[in-house]
């Protein structure tokens, strides 16, 4: 019998090689983070050319690491929205706590398997603690279960599928779901993916403050019941992406109970403000929801790819997701232990719990509470400053840290006013200190400001107001 040769080893790095990889990346990262405030708030001019120039075929041979880092940090990274910078007031800002990157390095290199409890009970417990903390923040009882997902869209989808399993027969096409005309588009997408045709999704009108009209909901439910359909699911928002509106969660809970609907609160953007005293008042009633979407990659300043779903009756997640497989290890008998493969759609996945756990353990939740309180202050300050600007109308006051406004000028019709606002927004962004985006509500173009980055402070908000004033002056 001939022996095989010892085999290739080049993918197994030596200790000096590992150190070199991390050290060179670390130098680049620290320089990058330190330069964030000086980087333009967005720079995507020539993005298509860059993207085309980066197309490449599968390489047969390797290239020097330094060259690859240079490509990333000198070409690809700079050509983007500066989502991690202090001037990012667009959409819903992300974060990117450095600690989370370190946690990911540890999670990826140790590469333990957290999809099943048996494979890493200690690490799974760390992630389960995070899920429990999120449930505690929301005011949920100990029967609740929290899952980390890749984002709010996935959380909304899992919530809908779970409610569908709980509330509808297997043949579920008579089921109807309700949401407001201000809901995030991921609700529509979840309905589509969960097998509900668009005709089973009701878009309930919102009031003057962009909150769901529960009287209109009651009418829609009654009409659907009379037609022999099965109303089962209501999604309300705790901070809409459009204007930051928070639906009346207590009244929504009453309505859901009265109509026999599963209540899901999409708190992807606004939910973590429950940590603050002001936020708790605005989000009053959150704990009465059957399920809640919260995005740690928004309100806890974590990197993209960290969402969560909390379900008040954790057993519902188990009933919706448990499928037996002969080749998997036994699930733990102790109900205090969580086996994620039995309560979520995923089996293999990253150990995302660590990136939430590490910064919370290092700083305590109080540090997050203080940062969120600051965001509330900054949004209120910005609204007060904008009110002083002649011609500015605040269309959506900040209920949390998001506001929307428009500039008006005597004699301009609606279309010309929309156009003026678009030019103002573009002029602000062209200055490169802050990046803001728009939406259309009630047919009107609105400029939005969302303050949510842990790196945004008063100095940057001064720049925002200065640049908005300047841009309005220019357009006069
Ligand atoms: C961001 C957001 C979502 C979608 O979450 P992703 O994490 O981007 O998938 C859903 N609903 C609301 C209200 C959001 O702000």
């Amino acid at each position: 019998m001939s022996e095989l040769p010892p085999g290739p080893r080049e993918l197994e790095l030596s200790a000096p090689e590992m150190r070199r990889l991390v050290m060179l990346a670390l130098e680049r990262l620290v320089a990058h983070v330190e330069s964030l405030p000086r980087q333009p708030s967005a720079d995507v001019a020539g993005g298509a050319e860059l993207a085309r120039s980066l197309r490449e075929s599968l390489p047969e041979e390797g290239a020097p690491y330094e060259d690859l880092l240079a490509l990333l940090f000198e070409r690809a990274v700079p050509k983007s929205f500066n989502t991690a910078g202090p001037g990012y007031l667009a959409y819903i800002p992300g974060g990117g706590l450095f600690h989370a990157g370190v946690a990911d390095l540890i999670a990826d290199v140790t590469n333990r398997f957290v999809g099943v409890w048996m494979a890493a009970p200690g690490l799974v417990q760390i992630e389960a603690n995070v899920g429990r903390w999120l449930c505690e923040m929301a005011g949920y009882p100990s029967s609740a279960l929290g899952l980390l997902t890749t984002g709010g869209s996935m959380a909304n989808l899992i919530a809908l599928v779970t409610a569908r399993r709980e509330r509808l027969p297997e043949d579920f096409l008579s089921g109807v779901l309700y949401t407001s005309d201000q809901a995030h588009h991921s609700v529509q997408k979840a309905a589509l993916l969960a097998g509900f045709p668009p005709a089973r999704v009701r878009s309930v009108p919102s009031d003057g403050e962009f909150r769901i009209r529960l009287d209109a909901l009651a009418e829609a439910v009654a009409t659907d019941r009379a037609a022999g359909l099965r109303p089962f699911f209501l999604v309300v928002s705790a901070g809409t992406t459009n204007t930051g509106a928070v639906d009346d969660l207590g009244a929504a809970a009453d309505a859901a109970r009265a109509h026999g609907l599963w209540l899901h609160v999409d708190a992807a953007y606004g939910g973590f403000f429950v940590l603050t005293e002001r936020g708790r008042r605005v989000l009053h009633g959150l704990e009465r929801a059957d399920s809640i979407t919260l995005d740690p990659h928004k309100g806890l300043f974590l990197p993209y790819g960290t969402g969560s779903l909390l379900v008040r009756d954790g057993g519902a997640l188990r009933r919706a997701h448990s499928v037996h497989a002969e080749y998997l290890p036994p699930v733990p008998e102790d109900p205090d232990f969580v086996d994620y493969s039995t309560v979520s759609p995923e089996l293999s996945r990253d150990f995302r719990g660590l990136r939430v756990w590490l910064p919370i353990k290092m700083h305590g939740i109080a540090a997050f509470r203080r940062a969120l309180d600051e965001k509330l202050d900054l949004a209120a300050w910005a609204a007060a400053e904008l009110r002083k600007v002649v011609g500015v109308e605040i269309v959506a006051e900040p209920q949390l840290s998001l506001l929307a406004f428009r500039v008006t000028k005597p004699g301009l019709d609606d279309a010309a006013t929309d156009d003026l606002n678009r030019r103002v927004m573009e002029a602000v962004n062209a200055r490169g200190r802050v990046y803001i985006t728009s939406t259309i509500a009630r047919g009107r173009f609105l400029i939005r400001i969302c303050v949510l980055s842990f790196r945004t402070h008063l100095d940057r908000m001064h720049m925002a107001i200065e640049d908005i004033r300047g841009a309005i002056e220019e357009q006069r």
Side-chain angles (χ1 to χ4, degrees):
M1 240 226 15
S2 65
E3 286 283 312
L4 281 174
R9 295 283 193 281
E10 70 251 55
L11 295 178
E12 292 162 69
L13 303 181
S14 67
E17 284 166 335
M18 285 189 269
R19 284 202 184 89
R20 178 174 158 273
L21 245 64
V22 174
M23 286 311 298
L24 289 180
L26 183 62
E27 277 166 32
R28 290 280 191 173
L29 286 169
V30 171
H32 173 78
V33 170
E34 293 199 317
S35 75
L36 280 172
R38 298 185 303 279
Q39 290 178 23
S41 57
D43 172 18
V44 287
E49 289 73 18
L50 171 69
R52 271 185 213 106
S53 76
L54 290 178
R55 282 188 188 155
E56 58 185 0
S57 51
L58 177 66
E60 182 62 27
E61 303 296 335
Y65 177 57
E66 286 89 341
D67 294 355
L68 304 178
L69 283 179
L71 180 153
L72 286 172
F73 283 92
E74 288 161 31
R75 296 184 62 206
V77 172
K79 200 49 59 190
S80 51
F81 299 168
N82 186 2
T83 42
Y88 197 68
L89 307 173
Y91 308 104
I92 308 290
L97 289 176
F98 191 85
H99 323 56
V102 175
D104 279 1
L105 180 64
I106 296 170
D108 290 357
V109 173
T110 57
N111 197 33
R112 292 305 194 237
F113 192 83
V114 295
V116 296
W117 179 83
M118 181 73 96
L123 299 180
V124 170
Q125 188 59 51
I126 284 175
E127 182 155 323
N129 291 347
V130 168
R132 177 116 307 283
W133 297 343
L134 299 177
C135 288
E136 262 176 48
M137 291 178 206
Y140 264 1
S142 59
S143 57
L145 194 60
L147 292 182
L148 293 177
T149 65
T150 50
S153 303
M154 283 305 300
N156 285 343
L157 172 61
I158 299 169
L160 175 56
V161 170
T162 301
R164 190 192 76 196
R165 292 283 299 180
E166 288 292 293
R167 298 295 178 90
L168 293 177
E170 285 198 347
D171 179 357
F172 57 77
L173 284 179
S174 59
V176 187
L177 52 133
Y178 303 80
T179 188
S180 93
D181 58 9
Q182 299 295 308
H184 191 268
H185 76 280
S186 58
V187 175
Q188 293 276 350
K189 196 194 270 188
L192 199 65
L193 291 173
F196 293 96
R200 291 292 179 267
V201 184
R202 300 278 173 267
S203 176
V204 178
S206 49
D207 65 17
E209 289 184 308
F210 304 102
R211 299 179 204 197
I212 188 167
R213 275 183 43 204
L214 295 170
D215 58 322
L217 170 74
E219 277 173 37
V221 169
T223 307
D224 288 331
R225 271 202 216 290
L229 297 173
R230 290 175 188 252
F232 82 104
F233 191 68
L234 169 62
V235 186
V236 297
S237 306
T240 62
T241 315
N242 256 355
T243 64
V246 179
D247 289 325
D248 183 337
L249 304 182
D254 291 339
R257 182 179 301 154
H259 305 310
L261 307 174
W262 175 292
L263 177 64
H264 178 67
V265 177
D266 182 356
Y269 149 60
F272 285 109
F273 285 102
V274 78
L275 289 169
T276 70
E277 214 170 295
R278 282 172 284 178
R280 204 162 34 245
R281 282 200 293 275
V282 177
L283 299 166
H284 179 73
L286 177 68
E287 72 289 346
R288 293 177 60 198
D290 293 294
S291 52
I292 303 170
T293 289
L294 283 177
D295 262 353
H297 61 207
K298 292 174 178 165
L300 286 185
F301 321 123
L302 289 164
Y304 296 120
T306 322
S308 75
L309 172 68
L310 317 182
V311 177
R312 162 181 270 280
D313 170 11
L317 278 172
R318 198 163 282 113
R319 290 188 288 278
H321 292 95
S322 291
V323 176
H324 180 70
E326 297 299 345
Y327 41 78
L328 289 181
V331 298
E333 277 172 21
D334 186 334
D336 285 343
F337 295 146
V338 186
D339 186 286
Y340 285 110
S341 73
T342 63
V343 293
S344 74
E346 295 173 291
L347 177 58
S348 303
R349 62 176 178 83
D350 57 324
F351 176 24
R352 48 186 85 110
L354 195 63
R355 84 173 76 106
V356 189
W357 181 84
L358 186 66
I360 293 181
K361 284 292 284 182
M362 286 179 67
H363 293 276
I365 203 66
F368 292 82
R369 178 177 298 116
R370 286 189 288 270
L372 287 165
D373 253 324
E374 182 199 23
K375 306 311 135 192
L376 296 176
D377 290 339
L378 293 176
W381 179 86
E385 288 299 305
L386 284 171
R387 259 192 296 276
K388 297 180 198 161
V389 182
V390 178
V392 166
E393 176 201 352
I394 312 275
V395 180
E397 291 285 341
Q399 295 180 20
L400 295 166
S401 71
L402 200 172
L403 62 120
F405 67 95
R406 68 197 246 108
V407 185
T408 56
K409 214 160 120 178
L412 287 190
D413 66 12
D414 284 347
T417 307
D418 284 357
D419 216 51
L420 167 67
N421 279 272
R422 191 184 308 277
R423 288 198 309 275
V424 167
M425 182 185 80
E426 283 166 2
V428 170
N429 290 340
R431 291 171 188 229
R433 302 201 293 180
V434 298
Y435 192 64
I436 52 179
T437 50
S438 63
T439 190
I440 292 180
R442 312 238 185 285
R444 297 271 65 85
F445 183 97
L446 305 181
I447 304 177
R448 303 161 68 262
I449 293 180
C450 184
V451 193
L452 199 60
S453 170
F454 65 104
R455 294 191 171 106
T456 303
H457 305 293
L458 186 59
D459 57 342
R460 188 63 56 157
M461 295 308 292
H462 268 288
M463 295 180 203
I465 298 299
E466 233 173 71
D467 291 354
I468 291 169
R469 277 181 183 278
I472 292 173
E473 285 300 316
E474 267 173 30
Q475 303 297 329
R476 287 212 191 279

